[in-house]
Amino acid sequence: MTLDAILPPERTLFDVPGGSKKRVLEFFSTFIAQNTPSLDSQEVFSRLIGRERLGSTGIGNGVAIPHARNPHCKAPISGFLKLAEPIDFDAIDGEPVDLVFVLLVPEEADDAHLALLGQVAGVMNDADTRHRLRHATSQRELHERLQEAIRQQTPGDATT
């Protein structure tokens, strides 16, 4: 399973109001539950916040990768948010975050979970990719740039 397969255009969100880490995670939880009938927004939020309590998912360079397991998740689900304004995310480098890649996986998805997290980190660790995402001017452009970066990051994965 690759990221491009689990990130449809409608889950690439442009110019999302930030405010705080809690607000962004609440926003995503409500958004994903409205679009995925098997998910409950409060449970998604609780699991994402629970993961943040273990340690911030702010990986540095203005990027966060909040992620959690969910028993009602039948397959991995992702979403990407480009925030209107950077927010404090308790990132490891202390920098505010404006690019948020959220990943929800089934309760038992150990290998898939780690592989997808690795793909996200690989894509988001690229300075040129971050620059291109930050300079996107529409939701469509943001999704296209993200998909292009994912495909460049994982060229050989399609055959495995």
Side-chain angles (χ1 to χ4, degrees):
M1 172 138 323
T2 58
L3 285 178
D4 56 341
I6 64 168
L7 186 64
E10 63 271 15
R11 288 202 305 256
T12 303
L13 305 177
F14 177 79
D15 223 14
V16 174
S20 68
K21 180 197 305 196
K22 181 180 176 203
R23 270 206 199 120
V24 168
L25 295 178
E26 281 175 332
F27 172 87
F28 177 79
S29 299
T30 300
F31 169 78
I32 202 66
Q34 288 172 344
N35 294 283
T36 312
S38 65
L39 298 179
D40 173 73
S41 65
Q42 287 303 316
E43 183 179 15
V44 171
F45 175 71
S46 173
R47 287 176 176 269
L48 287 171
I49 276 294
R51 171 58 189 86
E52 288 300 318
R53 287 190 188 111
L54 298 175
S56 176
T57 57
I59 64 168
N61 297 306
V63 175
I65 310 174
H67 56 280
R69 297 177 191 281
N70 188 302
H72 303 291
C73 214
K74 308 214 182 336
I77 296 172
S78 67
F80 183 79
L81 295 77
K82 179 179 180 287
L83 304 180
E85 297 291 328
I87 60 167
D88 178 24
F89 216 91
D90 302 315
I92 58 173
D93 63 358
E95 293 297 314
V97 162
D98 63 340
L99 301 175
V100 182
F101 206 122
V102 188
L103 186 61
L104 300 175
V105 295
E107 196 77 57
E108 66 285 347
D110 291 334
D111 292 342
H113 185 185
L114 294 175
L116 288 168
L117 276 174
Q119 285 180 44
V120 174
V123 169
M124 299 311 293
N125 277 330
D126 181 69
D128 185 53
T129 294
R130 291 191 308 270
H131 177 81
R132 290 173 47 88
L133 294 173
R134 287 188 172 112
H135 288 87
T137 58
S138 69
Q139 181 175 352
R140 181 174 178 222
E141 183 181 358
L142 183 65
H143 184 259
E144 287 171 358
R145 288 180 178 191
L146 189 54
Q147 288 288 347
E148 182 180 297
I150 290 167
R151 283 190 293 272
Q152 287 176 353
Q153 171 70 24
T154 55
D157 285 0
T159 59
T160 55

